[in-house]
Amino acid sequence: MPAFWGEMPPFPAPNAFHLANASAASRLGLSARQAADLLAARLDELRRQWPAGRPLLENGQGLELTLPLPQERGDLRLRLRQVQHQGRPHYLALGVADSADEASLALAVLGGLEQGLALVDVRGRLRYANPAFTAMLSRSGRCLAGQPLTGLFSDSVGPERRRQVWRALAATGFWRGPANLPGDDGSSQPVEISLLRAPQGSARAPAFLVLLRPLSQAGDESDQIAYLALHDPLTGLPNRAFFYQRLQAALAHAKRRRVGLALLYLDLDNFKTINDSLGHGVGDWLLREMAHRIKACLRLEDAVARLGGDEFVLLLTDVSQPEGAMVVARRILGQVAEPIQVEGHELQVSVSIGITIFPNDGQDAETLVKNADLAMYRAKEQGKRGYQLFTNELHAQANRRLVMESNLRKGLQNNEFLVYYQPKWDHGSNQLAGMEALLRWRRPDLGLVGAGEIIPLAEETGLIVPIGEWVLDQACRVARRIEDQGLGRLRVAVNLSARQLLWQHDFVDMVEMVLEEVGLEPSQLELEVTESVVMHNLEAAVAILKRLEALGVRLSLDDFGTGYSALACLKSFPLHALKLDRSFVVETPGSQNSAAIVVAIIAMARSLGLEVVAEGVETAEQADFLLRNHCSLMQGYYFSPPVPEQRFLDLCRAHLGPGPHPPLRAGSDLAGLLAGA
């Protein structure tokens, strides 16, 4: 029978308690503490309707109320009675049977329970025991009737232990613990005993509910199914559903007591790289180890769950200030960072943590978790291996991101995107050598938006795949159009993102299909990748680049010299060209250090048989310095800014094809016209 016991609202005493038996917890799909907190929160809501804070009695039978059961299984009906205990009002809420013959149905239900349940009077003598209870003791109900409760304990529970039990019952009205129950056949059975004090009534009314649970039941099939429904099978931690139940109960408790709580949202840094490179077996082992380390940083009253993948969430109770959560976050960062030895590899893992505090950062579970997730992503943006508190600015940024994402999708549907082209100029032979395709977005409200604002959002939302395919198709068609107009063959370069290269499984097939549909020779297409893109997953990136090379597509390493593994890239990648980053070019020839680096990179590339393209050339001095040091291919605003397709075709007519060509300069009349595009 579901039963609840506790102090009546408004709970003036700081040590007020609330209890629920196992049957109530099981019916609600919660722990006993969560079930008790749920009813207490319900009573707190109802107390405003009670005169003088006391519940209305219905013909002396008590107040009936309901609690919703999980999975839309109806409601748990309860009848509430108010009693006095230690000078303060308390309540006893018992389950209400739907049948008119409540007593008969209640006995039938008790008799069918797998849990042992008994009722004892104020002297501790047994008045009722269901069949499960008598079976556990290997005795009949007739033999047990009238026996004292203490006589049921085996000799291993001595007098001092019994006194502790009765002291706990006297102080709190509840006790739970393990014990061994002897049977008539001399056997001894380990059980968990729960004792729940009931209000005193008539001489025949029970004073205590006694619940027995065999410890061996933990491994039976029904409990195993229930366990798996609420726990992550890999780490053994509570799963998302169980965590939200716990969080709802904790929020009810926090609102009733006017205390705070904190949520920490954790995500392992670079877990996908470890999983892909060392295998899922190592990844699973790592997740279990992380779960163990995180749990070691928490108090007994706190909770941790695995939401899925490499994401964990922590609930810290009675934490009202960010400083308390920050202490735990720093402790977790230190524990997680300790090196791990697995299958001959030493791994050093880090996490990014987002923190929210109730009630400041949200009033409900969904909002708190969502805001902690936002804060976690900010921690990743700031370099990972750290924590970030949620702020209103993060919420505003998230809203702006949603608006931008919506506009980005509409822009793709409404053909608001276009491709600009920046010339690659051969300063030595004074002719047009190629072009780079650059994405632009003509926003109705903001005007022209550059790729620097579009690409990061497109990568996060996954729109980079359709947008990237569209840019590739447009660029190849323009290169083919230049050739069809008799202007010559011009190579077009297109930038690749990490999501395209590593996550678009049919990327190479898509490139081949576009080339065939357009009728462009693969050697006229150049794909540019950066060091940061390929270093996400070196092995997978190299395999894809080799397939592109076999297709005949040229490969270029963009922003060379700005990453941490440039030489490793040259050794591993099937490259045809390097693009010298503008951060070096802009300081030449004035900066001796930058000039020396540029000269060294050019010499190294020439020795490896690689073409060098200098980007960001803005002055004649920079162009002449590069040419003197054997780098003739350049692009930058000194020659021309990126321009729309039609104006680039005009540029091709003036600077491409047979015969001498005028120099391409942004200061010339033609280039000045182009710059105004």
Side-chain angles (χ1 to χ4, degrees):
M1 175 188 295
F4 298 83
W5 167 255
E7 188 173 348
M8 289 293 292
F11 318 117
N15 61 343
F17 60 88
H18 313 278
L19 304 172
N21 66 356
S23 177
S26 176
R27 291 283 301 277
L28 292 170
L30 303 171
S31 69
R33 178 178 175 182
Q34 291 170 336
D37 284 343
L38 182 62
L39 177 62
R42 174 76 172 132
L43 294 179
D44 200 21
E45 294 172 1
L46 293 176
R47 72 182 179 87
R48 298 184 181 90
Q49 306 171 20
W50 299 344
R54 297 173 62 88
L56 293 172
L57 299 182
E58 300 171 356
N59 299 323
Q61 298 301 311
L63 173 72
E64 185 171 307
L65 51 84
T66 60
L67 293 177
L69 295 174
Q71 301 177 355
E72 300 182 355
R73 291 190 286 112
D75 296 318
L76 174 62
R77 296 176 56 212
L78 300 170
R79 189 169 296 279
L80 177 79
R81 296 175 183 271
Q82 180 171 315
V83 297
Q84 291 294 318
H85 174 68
Q86 295 183 347
R88 292 197 300 270
H90 285 66
Y91 62 84
L92 173 67
L94 298 176
V96 178
D98 292 329
S99 170
D101 189 2
E102 296 182 357
S104 299
L105 182 57
L107 289 176
V109 171
L110 293 176
L113 290 177
E114 294 183 2
Q115 257 188 340
L117 184 143
L119 306 178
V120 298
D121 61 20
V122 291
R123 295 180 297 172
R125 297 185 180 277
L126 281 161
R127 295 304 180 192
Y128 168 80
N130 70 354
F133 191 96
T134 58
M136 289 179 195
L137 281 85
S138 302
R139 302 183 189 180
S140 67
R142 181 176 299 179
C143 293
L144 291 173
Q147 289 200 20
L149 179 64
T150 54
L152 302 178
F153 292 94
S154 69
D155 293 338
S156 62
V157 182
E160 180 57 31
R161 175 74 178 280
R162 297 177 188 177
R163 283 192 289 270
Q164 291 176 1
V165 172
W166 289 113
R167 281 198 295 267
L169 288 173
T172 66
F174 182 77
W175 178 84
R176 175 182 293 159
N180 290 317
L181 295 182
D184 287 339
D185 57 0
S187 62
S188 180
Q189 184 176 9
V191 296
E192 179 187 74
I193 301 180
S194 298
L195 301 176
L196 177 67
R197 186 175 57 197
Q200 294 186 11
S202 64
R204 294 180 296 174
F208 293 95
L209 301 174
V210 184
L211 300 170
L212 296 185
R213 173 184 172 85
L215 295 181
S216 59
Q217 282 186 0
D220 66 24
E221 184 177 355
S222 61
D223 281 357
Q224 185 69 11
I225 293 174
Y227 178 86
L228 292 176
L230 297 174
H231 291 79
D232 169 43
L234 178 63
T235 62
L237 295 178
N239 60 16
R240 181 185 296 269
F242 194 4
F243 179 79
Y244 269 87
Q245 290 179 6
R246 175 76 180 271
L247 179 55
Q248 295 283 7
L251 284 171
H253 173 83
K255 291 175 181 178
R256 188 172 65 252
R257 298 300 180 86
R258 295 182 175 85
V259 297
L261 58 82
L263 278 186
L264 277 65
Y265 201 111
L266 281 66
D267 185 272
L268 299 186
D269 298 328
N270 305 317
F271 176 73
K272 186 177 186 300
T273 301
I274 296 174
N275 215 25
D276 291 343
S277 57
L278 299 182
H280 292 280
V282 172
D284 289 349
W285 185 93
L286 181 61
L287 289 173
R288 287 191 291 268
E289 175 65 18
M290 290 301 103
H292 175 74
R293 293 188 178 193
I294 293 169
K295 285 178 64 177
C297 299
L298 303 180
R299 304 167 299 178
L300 291 176
E301 59 266 33
D302 299 329
V304 57
R306 181 188 177 208
L307 297 186
D310 58 343
E311 295 180 332
F312 300 85
V313 63
L314 280 62
L315 169 63
L316 310 181
T317 58
D318 295 329
V319 174
S320 300
Q321 298 298 323
E323 288 75 14
M326 291 161 62
V327 169
V328 177
R330 287 192 290 267
R331 189 184 307 149
I332 291 172
L333 290 171
Q335 284 285 337
V336 169
E338 290 293 323
I340 301 172
Q341 298 290 338
V342 53
E343 294 189 2
H345 301 279
E346 181 175 281
L347 304 179
Q348 194 152 16
V349 184
S350 63
V351 294
S352 297
I353 304 174
I355 302 173
T356 49
I357 306 295
F358 169 83
N360 297 336
D361 300 331
Q363 297 287 325
D364 58 85
E366 291 290 346
T367 302
L368 286 168
V369 173
K370 179 193 70 175
N371 290 343
D373 188 24
L374 287 175
M376 182 272 294
Y377 274 105
R378 171 54 63 88
K380 284 191 177 293
E381 292 171 0
Q382 293 183 340
K384 304 179 181 179
R385 200 185 297 266
Y387 61 85
Q388 174 69 43
L389 297 171
F390 174 78
T391 62
N392 289 330
E393 176 60 23
L394 284 178
H395 185 262
Q397 289 177 0
N399 287 337
R400 286 197 297 269
R401 181 184 177 278
L402 287 175
V403 173
M404 283 290 291
E405 180 182 343
S406 176
N407 290 337
L408 197 65
R409 294 183 186 276
K410 293 178 182 176
L412 186 60
Q413 296 170 358
N414 298 336
N415 299 317
E416 295 175 1
F417 292 107
L418 59 159
V419 180
Y420 273 37
Y421 300 90
Q422 186 170 36
K424 288 184 181 179
W425 184 256
D426 190 328
H427 195 44
S429 60
N430 201 41
Q431 65 179 358
L432 192 61
M435 57 182 175
E436 181 178 1
L438 298 167
L439 178 64
R440 296 291 185 267
W441 181 11
R442 193 178 296 280
R443 286 279 303 273
D445 52 343
L446 298 177
L448 205 61
V449 178
E453 296 184 53
I454 304 171
I455 300 302
L457 181 60
E459 286 185 325
E460 290 179 21
T461 59
L463 291 174
I464 190 63
V465 172
I467 292 176
E469 185 171 343
W470 179 83
V471 170
L472 180 68
D473 180 81
Q474 294 296 306
C476 290
R477 291 186 185 280
V478 169
R480 180 66 193 184
R481 193 170 297 126
I482 292 171
E483 185 176 356
D484 291 343
Q485 293 182 11
L487 300 175
R489 301 183 68 181
L490 205 60
R491 183 182 302 130
V492 60
V494 178
N495 293 280
L496 295 183
S497 75
R499 185 179 286 266
Q500 286 176 282
L501 186 66
L502 299 176
W503 296 357
Q504 187 176 348
H505 301 298
D506 62 343
F507 177 74
V508 178
D509 296 332
M510 182 271 292
V511 171
E512 185 176 14
M513 181 185 69
V514 169
L515 291 172
E516 289 180 355
E517 288 183 355
V518 174
L520 189 70
E521 288 293 325
S523 59
Q524 289 181 254
L525 174 62
E526 183 173 29
L527 297 178
E528 297 185 359
V529 297
T530 62
E531 298 170 51
S532 59
V533 167
V534 293
M535 292 309 292
H536 273 86
N537 188 334
L538 181 60
E539 184 178 349
V542 170
I544 295 172
L545 293 177
K546 286 182 176 179
R547 288 183 60 196
L548 290 168
E549 182 192 34
L551 189 63
V553 174
R554 284 176 56 89
L555 301 170
S556 176
L557 188 63
D558 199 7
D559 300 337
F560 183 79
T562 60
Y564 56 85
S565 55
L567 296 180
C569 291
L570 295 182
K571 179 181 177 182
S572 305
F573 302 159
L575 298 172
H576 301 89
L578 299 181
K579 293 195 72 174
L580 190 60
D581 187 69
R582 71 177 305 276
S583 61
F584 298 116
V585 174
V586 75
E587 296 182 353
T588 58
S591 169
Q592 188 174 1
N593 289 337
S594 293
I597 292 174
V598 168
V599 171
I601 291 176
I602 294 172
M604 178 182 61
R606 285 167 55 87
S607 68
L608 294 173
L610 299 176
E611 190 176 77
V612 180
V613 180
E615 56 183 353
V617 178
E618 298 178 355
T619 66
E621 291 79 13
Q622 294 168 358
D624 293 341
F625 170 81
L626 291 165
L627 186 60
R628 288 196 306 270
N629 287 280
H630 311 290
C631 175
S632 62
L633 292 177
M634 308 175 196
Q635 65 183 92
Y637 276 65
Y638 174 65
F639 302 104
S640 172
V643 295
E645 175 186 331
Q646 188 56 50
R647 296 197 176 180
F648 185 79
L649 291 174
D650 294 339
L651 187 151
C652 289
R653 295 185 184 99
H655 298 278
L656 190 63
H661 306 291
L664 178 63
R665 298 290 185 271
S668 67
D669 292 342
L670 176 61
L673 177 64
L674 298 175

